Amino acid sequence: MLAFLVGEALRDLRRAGRVAASAILLITLALGALGGFWLLSTNLGRAVGEWRERVKLVVYLRREPSSADAAALVERVRGLPGVASVRFVGKAEALGTLREVLGKDAAVADQLLQNPLPASLEVVPTAGGATPAGAQALIAGLAAMPETEEVGGGVEWIERFARGQRLVTLFGLGLGGVLGVAAILTVTTATTLVLHARRDEMEIMRLVGAPEHIVRLPLLLQGMTQGLLGALLAVWILFSVHLLLAPRLEPLVAESLGLARLTFLTPLNLATLVVIGTLLGGLGGLLARGRATP
Amino acid sequence: MTPAAIIEPPAMMELHRVWKVYSVGPVKVPALSDVSFQVTKGEFVTLHGPSGAGKTTLLRLLYREEIPSEGEIQVLGLDLARARRGEVAALRRSIGVVFQDARLLPGRTVYENVAFVLRVLGTPRREITARVFEALRAVGLSARAQAYPAQLSQGEAQRAALARAIARKPLLLIADEPTGNLDEGMAAEVLDVIRDVWAGGTTVLVATHQKALARTLRRRTLTLQNGRLLKDEG
């Protein structure tokens, strides 16, 4: 029976001709857009994740503590929530670093009458401490210490980037959604056309006492087949584009985003796209089925 | 217990004071008025009347394409006014219907047209071929199995429609003007097939507007006129 129903659905698909092809193409576009933005968002998300791991806060101290006080201060800061590690940087080390940075111009530093650089603590936050709320709490905690002159660094720029990433995701979802609705309507039109063409079949089926689900199932299967074909086509296009473009874009991406390579969607992501496509098509078939209800 | 289990045939169908009234705007048009009769198992009944007498409406009531405005109809023990969708489907599996215009599916061959109804009813694949050819043999169309409806004469198309109706081995065969579009020779062929089906034990109800045909059949004849049952003779 299943073979018969699938056979009928494929027969109907051939009948729908160009409209069915348009529906498949629209589903491909919708899922291609969705998948493309998903791919972009995934890679941007990876970049944000890596940057979060590299976040460092610098606590500038009012005066340089003694070795014993510095050790006690480091221990105290390490005990704050959201702190992964702490390193004390004395005034002399700071000046040494400046000399390294200046390179051949390091002699400028020698002209200074006294070392103007403050001692500091380099604080690396935990993952929780690198979130906007975690970083805010941590900065407030560090600023409240009596030894603190100023707290430098932060995660705002990462958050701005992360907001951009979420915006890309939302835009992708929106575009995919709009194209998805268009795809559903086209599948509905294709199925409705077929429905007119197979009105005689449906009448005969009802007349001989076929169960109602057998009468209607081919329409649903037809819609699902269109969705499945559109989704598979979208996955194939995404894979091909990634295969073609990723090696060319990776050097640029490595420099700008710090990502060694551009990853593709996971098998679970791809399966989700295929399921979404099949459901979109099925929904189109169901809507046409609704119109066909006697 | 289902209604079919309570009232066993021989009462194949029973109509009691059946009315069918259509509303055309504010006007009520009665298509059938106070029709009552009974058909027992194995009978061959001709339903005769001029065009517009209500024959087709009556037949549509019997396979529950329409429901009566008033009165009771029982077919194979099922009360059609109260029957649920699943019960109607089950009833229709026991009824073969043939229309004046054959209503074959144009994109399918004669074989496929007959096989189609067996497939949708879930007949096992290995049984389908045997039953299709058995039905085509019965109507004399074995040689035309691969022909499309457009390649058939009207008589052949009507016999193909009959094959489709009898392939399911129905308990009741309803034919609505099966010879209406046919010349005398072709009409005789189709009637011979219907007689053979009846001889095999199937109850038959044939609607016709042709008086001569009703006389030729020499069976029980119900005469309808203006929606009323005028005569029940034979």
Side-chain angles (χ1 to χ4, degrees):
Chain A
M1 179 55 84
L2 186 66
F4 168 69
L5 292 172
V6 171
E8 287 296 301
L10 293 177
R11 189 187 183 107
D12 290 345
L13 204 59
R14 282 198 298 274
R15 275 182 188 170
R18 282 183 196 170
V19 185
S22 306
I24 292 171
L25 197 66
L26 263 174
I27 288 175
T28 304
L29 279 176
L31 294 179
L34 195 64
F37 279 98
W38 198 353
L39 193 58
L40 185 61
S41 174
T42 302
N43 282 292
L44 290 178
R46 281 178 54 230
V48 169
E50 286 194 13
W51 293 338
R52 279 218 174 98
E53 282 172 18
R54 290 184 216 154
V55 166
K56 200 190 284 178
L57 297 173
V58 182
V59 181
Y60 297 104
L61 304 174
R62 292 184 193 280
R63 62 187 66 85
E64 186 164 31
S66 65
S67 302
D69 288 346
L73 183 61
V74 164
E75 275 312 302
R76 190 145 47 90
V77 171
R78 197 171 282 146
L80 290 175
V83 174
S85 64
V86 186
R87 194 172 81 85
F88 174 73
V89 180
K91 287 168 71 82
E93 187 185 340
L95 190 64
T97 307
L98 177 67
R99 281 203 178 94
E100 277 174 31
V101 171
L102 290 172
K104 57 182 183 193
D105 300 322
V108 176
D110 297 331
Q111 306 297 317
L112 297 169
L113 295 174
Q114 56 176 16
N115 182 354
L117 301 176
S120 62
L121 297 174
E122 285 181 0
V123 180
V124 176
T126 58
T131 62
Q136 210 173 2
L138 182 56
I139 289 169
L142 293 170
M145 295 192 306
E147 297 86 348
T148 304
E149 175 71 38
E150 190 187 347
V151 181
V155 293
E156 292 83 5
W157 65 278
I158 297 179
E159 288 320 309
R160 276 200 295 277
F161 197 86
R163 273 199 293 277
Q165 177 220 345
R166 284 193 288 273
L167 204 65
V168 165
T169 309
L170 275 177
F171 184 71
L173 281 174
L175 187 66
V178 169
L179 288 171
V181 170
I184 290 172
L185 293 177
T186 316
V187 171
T188 306
T189 308
T191 315
T192 306
L193 278 180
V194 167
L195 217 143
H196 287 295
R198 80 189 312 264
R199 183 162 285 169
D200 292 344
E201 263 110 329
M202 290 173 75
E203 191 186 335
I204 295 292
M205 285 165 104
R206 288 201 172 100
L207 210 57
V208 299
E212 202 55 28
H213 70 273
I214 299 292
V215 177
R216 294 175 174 189
L217 216 52
L219 299 175
L220 181 67
L221 287 176
Q222 184 213 335
M224 289 176 78
T225 307
Q226 288 175 70
L228 180 67
L229 289 175
L232 291 176
L233 196 58
V235 166
W236 180 75
I237 289 172
L238 284 171
F239 181 74
S240 303
V241 168
H242 180 264
L243 202 68
L244 198 73
L245 291 186
R248 288 174 173 77
L249 290 176
E250 271 166 4
L252 181 70
V253 169
E255 205 165 292
S256 55
L257 299 180
L259 287 178
R261 47 186 292 273
L262 287 169
T263 56
F264 190 55
L265 297 171
T266 63
L268 185 66
N269 296 155
L270 296 175
T272 306
L273 282 178
V274 171
V275 169
I276 289 174
T278 309
L279 290 178
L280 281 180
L283 190 60
L286 268 181
L287 289 175
R289 211 192 76 163
R291 289 189 204 174
T293 302
Chain B
M1 198 178 282
T2 63
I6 299 165
I7 303 168
E8 288 291 335
M12 195 53 114
M13 66 179 82
E14 200 168 351
L15 286 82
H16 183 65
R17 310 204 69 167
V18 171
W19 289 74
K20 180 65 189 176
V21 180
Y22 293 104
S23 297
V24 184
V27 183
K28 305 276 187 196
V29 182
L32 289 174
S33 310
D34 202 16
V35 174
S36 301
F37 66 89
Q38 192 178 5
V39 174
T40 52
K41 188 182 175 200
E43 267 195 283
F44 190 128
V45 179
T46 308
L47 184 62
H48 173 250
S51 294
K55 302 185 298 295
T56 299
T57 302
L58 178 54
L59 297 189
R60 286 168 67 85
L61 287 171
L62 292 176
Y63 53 86
R64 228 303 203 116
E65 194 67 8
E66 306 257 9
I67 49 172
S69 308
E70 264 182 60
E72 283 175 27
I73 303 178
Q74 290 205 353
V75 178
L76 292 165
L78 183 68
D79 182 345
L80 296 192
R82 293 186 183 84
R84 285 174 297 200
R85 186 183 271 187
E87 290 174 322
V88 171
L91 172 76
R92 286 178 176 180
R93 278 173 231 147
S94 302
I95 301 177
V97 183
V98 180
F99 303 97
Q100 181 175 357
D101 57 356
R103 295 199 198 169
L104 296 173
L105 302 172
R108 297 173 198 254
T109 62
V110 168
Y111 176 91
E112 287 167 343
N113 263 280
V114 181
F116 179 75
V117 295
L118 296 174
R119 284 204 181 117
V120 300
L121 295 178
T123 309
R125 192 180 276 264
R126 60 185 176 280
E127 267 184 44
I128 289 176
T129 307
R131 284 176 67 173
V132 171
F133 277 106
E134 188 187 340
L136 290 179
R137 256 196 311 277
V139 300
L141 273 186
S142 303
R144 304 288 278 149
Q146 294 312 316
Y148 283 90
Q151 299 168 314
L152 301 176
S153 70
Q154 283 182 321
E156 285 174 327
Q158 201 56 274
R159 282 189 280 148
L162 259 170
R164 182 174 65 187
I166 64 174
R168 294 177 291 122
K169 302 187 187 306
L171 296 172
L172 171 64
L173 178 69
I174 293 174
D176 188 4
E177 301 278 5
T179 58
N181 290 335
L182 308 181
D183 62 30
E184 235 172 78
M186 285 180 177
E189 283 178 13
V190 169
L191 286 177
D192 283 346
V193 174
I194 293 177
R195 273 202 200 93
D196 289 345
V197 172
W198 170 68
T202 303
T203 307
V204 175
L205 180 59
V206 178
T208 179
H209 68 278
Q210 297 162 302
K211 209 172 217 168
L213 181 77
R215 274 201 297 270
T216 308
L217 287 167
R218 281 182 286 168
R219 301 284 165 199
R220 180 183 169 195
T221 303
L222 305 171
T223 306
L224 270 182
Q225 196 160 18
N226 296 326
R228 290 189 176 276
L229 186 61
L230 283 189
K231 283 186 261 180
D232 182 349
E233 49 193 0

